[in-house]
Structures are given as C-alpha cells and as structure tokens.
Amino acid sequence: MTLALAAYYEKRAEIERLQAELEQIEQNPAIALDQEFATRLHALVKEYDQDIENVIRMVMPGDISSLVAEYTASTRRRPVRSYLNPYTQERIETRGANHRTLKEWKAQYGANVVETWRH
C-alpha cells in the first residue's frame, strides 16, 4: 500500500469517526435548544437593527469593554504582510499564506528563506 493510499484510508476513518461524534452531539436536546435560541437571537438583532455590543449593554449594564474586546478580537482581520523577492524585486502583499506567488516562492526557495523576505 502506498503512503498516499494509507493517508487516504486514515483520513476516511477520521471522517467517519467525526461524523459519528457529530451525530451523537446532534442528538443532545440541549444542542437543539441552544441552536433555536441563537437563531431567534440573531433574528431579533437583525429585526431591530442592533449590533452585538448594544445587545450586551442592554443585558449587562456597566463596563462591558472586556466582553466587547473579546468578541471583536475574534473577528479582526489578519494584518497585511508584504514580501520582497530579492532576486526579481517583485513585491507581494497578502493577509494569509494562500497567495499563489507566495506559495510558488516557498516551493522554489523554501519557506524559511521566503520568511526572511518579509517587510
């Protein structure tokens, strides 16, 4: 058996295990209640044209800055990273590692080398 085929079977088994686990979780009545609550809450927030910060302030008056900061921290965008190829002088800017040219550079020169080109 090739390594690729073994990896395929391993992933298949993992998917089946996760599907069984998900089915077990979905049968929990508490999950259904939580999903219904979240759905209704999102509908109310949208219906009354509110944002999550206002809803938290209504429910928990006082200093909510830590709660709001925690919520907004999870929704922040990644910072822009720029790379300059010293061989071609080509510059790219990306927020993630899925940039096509960045992937090509990493395949050609190695990831560690390309990371030194970051500005």
Side-chain angles (χ1 to χ4, degrees), residues 69-88:
E70 182 179 321
Y71 175 78
T72 56
S74 66
T75 60
R76 285 195 184 130
R77 295 184 67 180
R78 293 179 182 171
V80 175
R81 296 180 295 177
S82 73
Y83 296 84
L84 176 64
N85 185 326
Y87 303 108
T88 63

Side-chain angles (χ1 to χ4, degrees), residues 14 20 26-27 29 40 42 47 57 64-65 68 71-72 77 86 98 100 106 116:
E14 186 177 346
E26 287 174 342
Q27 291 175 1
R40 288 183 178 185
H42 287 292
E47 179 182 343
R57 279 202 172 105
I64 62 162
S65 58
V68 172
Y71 175 78
T72 56
R77 295 184 67 180
N98 266 348
R100 182 177 27 151
K106 287 183 178 183
T116 64

